[in-house]
PDB file of all heavy atoms in Angstrom:
ATOM      1  N   ALA L 343      18.912   8.441   8.119  1.00  0.00           N
ATOM      2  CA  ALA L 343      20.143   8.001   7.455  1.00  0.00           C
ATOM      3  C   ALA L 343      21.267   7.856   8.481  1.00  0.00           C
ATOM      4  O   ALA L 343      21.996   6.863   8.496  1.00  0.00           O
ATOM      5  CB  ALA L 343      20.526   8.999   6.370  1.00  0.00           C
ATOM      6  N   LYS L 344      21.372   8.827   9.373  1.00  0.00           N
ATOM      7  CA  LYS L 344      22.473   8.825  10.352  1.00  0.00           C
ATOM      8  C   LYS L 344      22.256   7.755  11.427  1.00  0.00           C
ATOM      9  O   LYS L 344      23.168   7.018  11.783  1.00  0.00           O
ATOM     10  CB  LYS L 344      22.555  10.219  10.996  1.00  0.00           C
ATOM     11  CG  LYS L 344      23.651  10.370  12.057  1.00  0.00           C
ATOM     12  CD  LYS L 344      23.793  11.804  12.508  1.00  0.00           C
ATOM     13  CE  LYS L 344      22.644  12.357  13.313  1.00  0.00           C
ATOM     14  NZ  LYS L 344      22.369  11.766  14.604  1.00  0.00           N
ATOM     15  N   ASP L 345      21.039   7.656  11.951  1.00  0.00           N
ATOM     16  CA  ASP L 345      20.801   6.775  13.108  1.00  0.00           C
ATOM     17  C   ASP L 345      20.749   5.298  12.741  1.00  0.00           C
ATOM     18  O   ASP L 345      21.264   4.455  13.459  1.00  0.00           O
ATOM     19  CB  ASP L 345      19.476   7.140  13.796  1.00  0.00           C
ATOM     20  CG  ASP L 345      19.570   8.462  14.545  1.00  0.00           C
ATOM     21  OD1 ASP L 345      20.648   9.073  14.526  1.00  0.00           O
ATOM     22  OD2 ASP L 345      18.561   8.873  15.153  1.00  0.00           O
ATOM     23  N   TRP L 346      20.079   4.956  11.633  1.00  0.00           N
ATOM     24  CA  TRP L 346      19.948   3.519  11.325  1.00  0.00           C
ATOM     25  C   TRP L 346      20.189   3.193   9.859  1.00  0.00           C
ATOM     26  O   TRP L 346      19.777   2.145   9.350  1.00  0.00           O
ATOM     27  CB  TRP L 346      18.614   2.949  11.835  1.00  0.00           C
ATOM     28  CG  TRP L 346      17.410   3.830  11.645  1.00  0.00           C
ATOM     29  CD1 TRP L 346      17.051   4.879  12.445  1.00  0.00           C
ATOM     30  CD2 TRP L 346      16.419   3.774  10.610  1.00  0.00           C
ATOM     31  NE1 TRP L 346      15.895   5.475  11.958  1.00  0.00           N
ATOM     32  CE2 TRP L 346      15.480   4.809  10.839  1.00  0.00           C
ATOM     33  CE3 TRP L 346      16.223   2.947   9.508  1.00  0.00           C
ATOM     34  CZ2 TRP L 346      14.389   5.037  10.020  1.00  0.00           C
ATOM     35  CZ3 TRP L 346      15.123   3.171   8.694  1.00  0.00           C
ATOM     36  CH2 TRP L 346      14.223   4.213   8.955  1.00  0.00           C
ATOM     37  N   GLY L 347      20.929   4.124   9.188  1.00  0.00           N
ATOM     38  CA  GLY L 347      21.461   3.818   7.856  1.00  0.00           C
ATOM     39  C   GLY L 347      20.436   3.805   6.742  1.00  0.00           C
ATOM     40  O   GLY L 347      20.626   3.146   5.717  1.00  0.00           O
ATOM     41  N   TRP L 348      19.318   4.562   6.889  1.00  0.00           N
ATOM     42  CA  TRP L 348      18.270   4.524   5.872  1.00  0.00           C
ATOM     43  C   TRP L 348      18.736   5.053   4.512  1.00  0.00           C
ATOM     44  O   TRP L 348      19.365   6.103   4.421  1.00  0.00           O
ATOM     45  CB  TRP L 348      17.032   5.320   6.331  1.00  0.00           C
ATOM     46  CG  TRP L 348      16.093   5.545   5.187  1.00  0.00           C
ATOM     47  CD1 TRP L 348      15.730   6.724   4.629  1.00  0.00           C
ATOM     48  CD2 TRP L 348      15.434   4.519   4.422  1.00  0.00           C
ATOM     49  NE1 TRP L 348      14.891   6.514   3.561  1.00  0.00           N
ATOM     50  CE2 TRP L 348      14.700   5.160   3.414  1.00  0.00           C
ATOM     51  CE3 TRP L 348      15.413   3.123   4.475  1.00  0.00           C
ATOM     52  CZ2 TRP L 348      13.945   4.462   2.467  1.00  0.00           C
ATOM     53  CZ3 TRP L 348      14.661   2.419   3.545  1.00  0.00           C
ATOM     54  CH2 TRP L 348      13.945   3.097   2.568  1.00  0.00           C
ATOM     55  N   LYS L 349      18.414   4.315   3.451  1.00  0.00           N
ATOM     56  CA  LYS L 349      18.714   4.746   2.076  1.00  0.00           C
ATOM     57  C   LYS L 349      17.670   4.115   1.157  1.00  0.00           C
ATOM     58  O   LYS L 349      17.550   2.892   1.114  1.00  0.00           O
ATOM     59  CB  LYS L 349      20.111   4.247   1.682  1.00  0.00           C
ATOM     60  CG  LYS L 349      20.718   4.947   0.508  1.00  0.00           C
ATOM     61  CD  LYS L 349      22.214   4.567   0.419  1.00  0.00           C
ATOM     62  CE  LYS L 349      22.905   5.225  -0.734  1.00  0.00           C
ATOM     63  NZ  LYS L 349      22.586   4.682  -2.009  1.00  0.00           N
ATOM     64  N   PRO L 350      16.900   4.935   0.423  1.00  0.00           N
ATOM     65  CA  PRO L 350      15.909   4.339  -0.486  1.00  0.00           C
ATOM     66  C   PRO L 350      16.564   3.705  -1.710  1.00  0.00           C
ATOM     67  O   PRO L 350      17.656   4.120  -2.095  1.00  0.00           O
ATOM     68  CB  PRO L 350      15.042   5.538  -0.907  1.00  0.00           C
ATOM     69  CG  PRO L 350      15.925   6.714  -0.726  1.00  0.00           C
ATOM     70  CD  PRO L 350      16.886   6.403   0.387  1.00  0.00           C
ATOM     71  N   GLU L 351      15.891   2.710  -2.295  1.00  0.00           N
ATOM     72  CA  GLU L 351      16.443   2.052  -3.489  1.00  0.00           C
ATOM     73  C   GLU L 351      15.652   2.352  -4.751  1.00  0.00           C
ATOM     74  O   GLU L 351      16.173   2.236  -5.841  1.00  0.00           O
ATOM     75  CB  GLU L 351      16.478   0.530  -3.268  1.00  0.00           C
ATOM     76  CG  GLU L 351      17.628   0.104  -2.402  1.00  0.00           C
ATOM     77  CD  GLU L 351      17.633  -1.384  -2.100  1.00  0.00           C
ATOM     78  OE1 GLU L 351      16.780  -2.125  -2.626  1.00  0.00           O
ATOM     79  OE2 GLU L 351      18.502  -1.788  -1.305  1.00  0.00           O
ATOM     80  N   PHE L 352      14.374   2.717  -4.592  1.00  0.00           N
ATOM     81  CA  PHE L 352      13.513   2.894  -5.769  1.00  0.00           C
ATOM     82  C   PHE L 352      13.389   4.372  -6.139  1.00  0.00           C
ATOM     83  O   PHE L 352      12.852   5.162  -5.361  1.00  0.00           O
ATOM     84  CB  PHE L 352      12.117   2.315  -5.512  1.00  0.00           C
ATOM     85  CG  PHE L 352      12.079   0.807  -5.639  1.00  0.00           C
ATOM     86  CD1 PHE L 352      12.531   0.008  -4.595  1.00  0.00           C
ATOM     87  CD2 PHE L 352      11.620   0.204  -6.805  1.00  0.00           C
ATOM     88  CE1 PHE L 352      12.519  -1.379  -4.710  1.00  0.00           C
ATOM     89  CE2 PHE L 352      11.607  -1.176  -6.932  1.00  0.00           C
ATOM     90  CZ  PHE L 352      12.058  -1.967  -5.879  1.00  0.00           C
ATOM     91  N   ASP L 353      13.871   4.726  -7.347  1.00  0.00           N
ATOM     92  CA  ASP L 353      13.596   6.062  -7.877  1.00  0.00           C
ATOM     93  C   ASP L 353      12.345   5.974  -8.752  1.00  0.00           C
ATOM     94  O   ASP L 353      11.725   4.906  -8.856  1.00  0.00           O
ATOM     95  CB  ASP L 353      14.812   6.608  -8.630  1.00  0.00           C
ATOM     96  CG  ASP L 353      15.212   5.720  -9.801  1.00  0.00           C
ATOM     97  OD1 ASP L 353      14.415   4.832 -10.188  1.00  0.00           O
ATOM     98  OD2 ASP L 353      16.323   5.905 -10.344  1.00  0.00           O
ATOM     99  N   LEU L 354      11.980   7.074  -9.401  1.00  0.00           N
ATOM    100  CA  LEU L 354      10.732   7.092 -10.177  1.00  0.00           C
ATOM    101  C   LEU L 354      10.760   6.066 -11.314  1.00  0.00           C
ATOM    102  O   LEU L 354       9.771   5.351 -11.552  1.00  0.00           O
ATOM    103  CB  LEU L 354      10.498   8.510 -10.728  1.00  0.00           C
ATOM    104  CG  LEU L 354       9.234   8.695 -11.554  1.00  0.00           C
ATOM    105  CD1 LEU L 354       7.992   8.300 -10.784  1.00  0.00           C
ATOM    106  CD2 LEU L 354       9.111  10.149 -12.032  1.00  0.00           C
ATOM    107  N   SER L 355      11.894   5.994 -11.999  1.00  0.00           N
ATOM    108  CA  SER L 355      11.985   5.078 -13.137  1.00  0.00           C
ATOM    109  C   SER L 355      11.825   3.629 -12.663  1.00  0.00           C
ATOM    110  O   SER L 355      11.050   2.855 -13.234  1.00  0.00           O
ATOM    111  CB  SER L 355      13.344   5.307 -13.809  1.00  0.00           C
ATOM    112  OG  SER L 355      13.723   4.179 -14.516  1.00  0.00           O
ATOM    113  N   LYS L 356      12.508   3.272 -11.591  1.00  0.00           N
ATOM    114  CA  LYS L 356      12.484   1.882 -11.106  1.00  0.00           C
ATOM    115  C   LYS L 356      11.096   1.494 -10.588  1.00  0.00           C
ATOM    116  O   LYS L 356      10.604   0.405 -10.838  1.00  0.00           O
ATOM    117  CB  LYS L 356      13.538   1.757  -9.998  1.00  0.00           C
ATOM    118  CG  LYS L 356      14.015   0.349  -9.777  1.00  0.00           C
ATOM    119  CD  LYS L 356      15.221   0.336  -8.843  1.00  0.00           C
ATOM    120  CE  LYS L 356      15.417  -1.056  -8.262  1.00  0.00           C
ATOM    121  NZ  LYS L 356      16.392  -1.118  -7.208  1.00  0.00           N
ATOM    122  N   LEU L 357      10.457   2.426  -9.869  1.00  0.00           N
ATOM    123  CA  LEU L 357       9.135   2.068  -9.313  1.00  0.00           C
ATOM    124  C   LEU L 357       8.093   1.966 -10.426  1.00  0.00           C
ATOM    125  O   LEU L 357       7.185   1.133 -10.372  1.00  0.00           O
ATOM    126  CB  LEU L 357       8.708   3.010  -8.181  1.00  0.00           C
ATOM    127  CG  LEU L 357       8.181   4.419  -8.426  1.00  0.00           C
ATOM    128  CD1 LEU L 357       6.705   4.427  -8.791  1.00  0.00           C
ATOM    129  CD2 LEU L 357       8.383   5.253  -7.172  1.00  0.00           C
ATOM    130  N   THR L 358       8.238   2.810 -11.461  1.00  0.00           N
ATOM    131  CA  THR L 358       7.290   2.755 -12.587  1.00  0.00           C
ATOM    132  C   THR L 358       7.407   1.414 -13.301  1.00  0.00           C
ATOM    133  O   THR L 358       6.397   0.752 -13.595  1.00  0.00           O
ATOM    134  CB  THR L 358       7.572   3.919 -13.574  1.00  0.00           C
ATOM    135  OG1 THR L 358       7.464   5.141 -12.844  1.00  0.00           O
ATOM    136  CG2 THR L 358       6.589   3.932 -14.726  1.00  0.00           C
ATOM    137  N   ILE L 359       8.622   0.987 -13.549  1.00  0.00           N
ATOM    138  CA  ILE L 359       8.843  -0.305 -14.231  1.00  0.00           C
ATOM    139  C   ILE L 359       8.252  -1.433 -13.396  1.00  0.00           C
ATOM    140  O   ILE L 359       7.537  -2.302 -13.899  1.00  0.00           O
ATOM    141  CB  ILE L 359      10.365  -0.531 -14.476  1.00  0.00           C
ATOM    142  CG1 ILE L 359      10.864   0.456 -15.531  1.00  0.00           C
ATOM    143  CG2 ILE L 359      10.659  -1.968 -14.891  1.00  0.00           C
ATOM    144  CD1 ILE L 359      12.370   0.524 -15.676  1.00  0.00           C
ATOM    145  N   ASP L 360       8.494  -1.395 -12.094  1.00  0.00           N
ATOM    146  CA  ASP L 360       8.027  -2.480 -11.220  1.00  0.00           C
ATOM    147  C   ASP L 360       6.502  -2.512 -11.106  1.00  0.00           C
ATOM    148  O   ASP L 360       5.890  -3.578 -11.132  1.00  0.00           O
ATOM    149  CB  ASP L 360       8.663  -2.340  -9.834  1.00  0.00           C
ATOM    150  CG  ASP L 360       8.817  -3.694  -9.169  1.00  0.00           C
ATOM    151  OD1 ASP L 360       9.607  -4.509  -9.674  1.00  0.00           O
ATOM    152  OD2 ASP L 360       8.101  -3.947  -8.171  1.00  0.00           O
ATOM    153  N   MET L 361       5.883  -1.325 -10.988  1.00  0.00           N
ATOM    154  CA  MET L 361       4.414  -1.262 -10.909  1.00  0.00           C
ATOM    155  C   MET L 361       3.799  -1.839 -12.179  1.00  0.00           C
ATOM    156  O   MET L 361       2.902  -2.681 -12.113  1.00  0.00           O
ATOM    157  CB  MET L 361       3.932   0.183 -10.744  1.00  0.00           C
ATOM    158  CG  MET L 361       4.035   0.750  -9.356  1.00  0.00           C
ATOM    159  SD  MET L 361       2.979  -0.073  -8.152  1.00  0.00           S
ATOM    160  CE  MET L 361       1.378   0.672  -8.462  1.00  0.00           C
ATOM    161  N   LEU L 362       4.261  -1.385 -13.334  1.00  0.00           N
ATOM    162  CA  LEU L 362       3.659  -1.825 -14.600  1.00  0.00           C
ATOM    163  C   LEU L 362       3.878  -3.326 -14.792  1.00  0.00           C
ATOM    164  O   LEU L 362       2.955  -4.048 -15.187  1.00  0.00           O
ATOM    165  CB  LEU L 362       4.237  -1.024 -15.773  1.00  0.00           C
ATOM    166  CG  LEU L 362       3.855   0.470 -15.784  1.00  0.00           C
ATOM    167  CD1 LEU L 362       4.601   1.214 -16.881  1.00  0.00           C
ATOM    168  CD2 LEU L 362       2.338   0.660 -15.968  1.00  0.00           C
ATOM    169  N   LYS L 363       5.072  -3.782 -14.473  1.00  0.00           N
ATOM    170  CA  LYS L 363       5.376  -5.218 -14.645  1.00  0.00           C
ATOM    171  C   LYS L 363       4.425  -6.068 -13.791  1.00  0.00           C
ATOM    172  O   LYS L 363       3.817  -7.018 -14.273  1.00  0.00           O
ATOM    173  CB  LYS L 363       6.835  -5.467 -14.224  1.00  0.00           C
ATOM    174  CG  LYS L 363       7.296  -6.897 -14.448  1.00  0.00           C
ATOM    175  CD  LYS L 363       8.701  -7.117 -13.942  1.00  0.00           C
ATOM    176  CE  LYS L 363       8.655  -7.413 -12.455  1.00  0.00           C
ATOM    177  NZ  LYS L 363       9.922  -7.411 -11.776  1.00  0.00           N
ATOM    178  N   ASN L 364       4.247  -5.686 -12.538  1.00  0.00           N
ATOM    179  CA  ASN L 364       3.422  -6.505 -11.634  1.00  0.00           C
ATOM    180  C   ASN L 364       1.934  -6.380 -11.915  1.00  0.00           C
ATOM    181  O   ASN L 364       1.191  -7.348 -11.776  1.00  0.00           O
ATOM    182  CB  ASN L 364       3.732  -6.150 -10.182  1.00  0.00           C
ATOM    183  CG  ASN L 364       5.032  -6.781  -9.746  1.00  0.00           C
ATOM    184  OD1 ASN L 364       5.154  -7.993  -9.693  1.00  0.00           O
ATOM    185  ND2 ASN L 364       6.031  -5.957  -9.484  1.00  0.00           N
ATOM    186  N   LEU L 365       1.482  -5.188 -12.298  1.00  0.00           N
ATOM    187  CA  LEU L 365       0.042  -5.032 -12.578  1.00  0.00           C
ATOM    188  C   LEU L 365      -0.352  -5.709 -13.889  1.00  0.00           C
ATOM    189  O   LEU L 365      -1.516  -6.039 -14.085  1.00  0.00           O
ATOM    190  CB  LEU L 365      -0.338  -3.541 -12.611  1.00  0.00           C
ATOM    191  CG  LEU L 365      -0.326  -2.842 -11.249  1.00  0.00           C
ATOM    192  CD1 LEU L 365      -0.599  -1.356 -11.405  1.00  0.00           C
ATOM    193  CD2 LEU L 365      -1.325  -3.461 -10.276  1.00  0.00           C
TER     194      LEU L 365
END
Side-chain angles (χ1 to χ4, degrees):
K344 179 172 69 64
D345 288 0
W346 41 279
W348 167 244
K349 198 168 180 286
E351 282 176 4
F352 282 79
D353 60 13
L354 180 57
S355 156
K356 203 170 161 190
L357 76 82
T358 302
I359 291 169
D360 209 66
M361 281 295 280
L362 293 173
K363 184 184 84 191
N364 283 296
L365 289 175

